[in-house]
Amino acid sequence: MAQGCLRCLKYTMCVANFLCFLSGIAVLSFGIYMKMTFHLEALTPSLTQFAVDNLLVFSGIVITAVSFLGFLGALRENRCLLLTFFLVLFVLMLLELTAASLLLVYDTQIGVWVQKDLRDGLDRAKDSANNTTVVSEWDLLQEEFQCCGINNHTDWGNQVPKSCCLKTCSIPQPPFKKEGCLEVTKRWFEENFLIIGICVILICIIEVLGMCFAMTLFCHISKSGLGYKL
């Protein structure tokens, strides 16, 4: 009975890690696609390393590597790989909880930092009127969130782009979108805060389950003398 349960645990861990491996490849592929299609550094020049595309690429690499480690460790009943898998998951969970805590504690300072970087990106866009890449990324943001500038259209000065117009820019004094992109994006994060929090909790639960499965299998292999030894 115990052997059957442990065998079921082993193959459950293999299947779960294989699915995570496929998910990691999908996230990595989407991150590379975004990196090649969009140039988000035009919006926040100093925060380029924290852009969505870079975060997706990094997350995809981590998910793929860790899940492959867990899959191989469970399939081969390798204690060294299982222990490494457990420690990596534990470190990742600590880093995620630390990052979440810092975001909650220093949310005001982070908001000021993002606002300053957006200002630098907008100034760069105004100075690079001939650089279609820089301007098009701001157009994408303003059309997607129905906003204009950082606070309002006056941030663009005399170079207000067409994406700021409510309907058409053909008339002499076209009506512009009243809300700034900073306030709109902050409200979007606040509205989706519950979903983001649930996703973080689910990720932590999956990591805890992965650590429990890995340690259970590790202890069984140690007691029975099966598998590869350390």
Side-chain angles (χ1 to χ4, degrees):
M1 182 66 179
Q3 291 293 331
C5 291
L6 287 167
R7 190 177 296 110
C8 179
L9 175 63
K10 169 184 172 179
Y11 289 114
T12 300
M13 189 172 172
C14 288
V15 172
N17 278 286
F18 180 71
L19 293 176
C20 289
F21 180 79
L22 295 179
S23 301
I25 292 178
V27 172
L28 177 61
S29 302
F30 185 64
I32 294 174
Y33 167 76
M34 285 193 65
K35 199 169 186 64
M36 295 177 63
T37 307
F38 307 107
H39 302 276
L40 301 180
E41 65 274 7
L43 301 176
T44 54
S46 303
L47 301 176
T48 303
Q49 62 272 26
F50 300 110
V52 177
D53 52 355
N54 289 334
L55 291 177
L56 287 175
V57 171
F58 177 75
S59 300
I61 293 173
V62 171
I63 294 172
T64 303
V66 173
S67 57
F68 179 76
L69 188 67
F71 173 81
L72 192 61
L75 183 66
R76 301 294 299 273
E77 295 186 5
N78 189 309
R79 286 188 287 168
C80 181
L81 291 178
L82 287 172
L83 184 60
T84 304
F85 177 73
F86 174 87
L87 292 175
V88 170
L89 282 182
F90 181 71
V91 172
L92 285 175
M93 189 174 67
L94 288 180
L95 290 175
E96 290 164 4
L97 293 175
T98 302
S101 301
L102 290 175
L103 286 174
L104 290 174
V105 174
Y106 297 102
D107 59 333
T108 304
Q109 292 88 332
I110 293 173
V112 173
W113 188 19
V114 171
Q115 183 176 7
K116 180 181 180 300
D117 213 48
L118 280 173
R119 173 68 63 184
D120 294 338
L122 190 139
D123 290 340
R124 180 184 171 190
K126 290 192 294 185
D127 295 338
S128 306
N130 296 325
N131 190 335
T132 56
T133 299
V134 176
V135 179
S136 63
E137 302 311 322
W138 274 96
D139 288 336
L140 178 65
L141 175 67
Q142 293 175 153
E143 289 173 357
E144 183 67 25
F145 286 94
Q146 291 299 303
C147 58
C148 181
I150 299 174
N151 299 308
N152 49 53
H153 71 278
T154 58
D155 295 325
W156 286 99
N158 297 324
Q159 304 177 20
V160 182
K162 294 181 179 180
S163 57
C164 279
C165 298
L166 275 175
K167 295 181 179 179
T168 177
C169 291
S170 58
I171 59 179
Q173 293 184 339
F176 296 116
K177 298 167 184 173
K178 296 181 179 180
E179 290 188 291
C181 293
L182 180 64
E183 190 62 33
V184 173
T185 51
K186 282 173 63 177
R187 189 166 63 248
W188 183 88
F189 277 107
E190 290 173 357
E191 292 173 352
N192 293 274
F193 183 78
L194 180 60
I195 298 175
I196 297 172
I198 291 174
C199 291
V200 172
I201 293 172
L202 287 176
I203 291 173
C204 289
I205 291 174
I206 293 172
E207 289 172 343
V208 170
L209 289 175
M211 288 189 291
C212 293
F213 287 178
M215 190 51 61
T216 302
L217 199 56
F218 175 85
C219 294
H220 166 67
I221 295 171
S222 300
K223 290 179 180 179
S224 61
L226 300 174
Y228 292 93
K229 297 180 178 180
L230 286 169

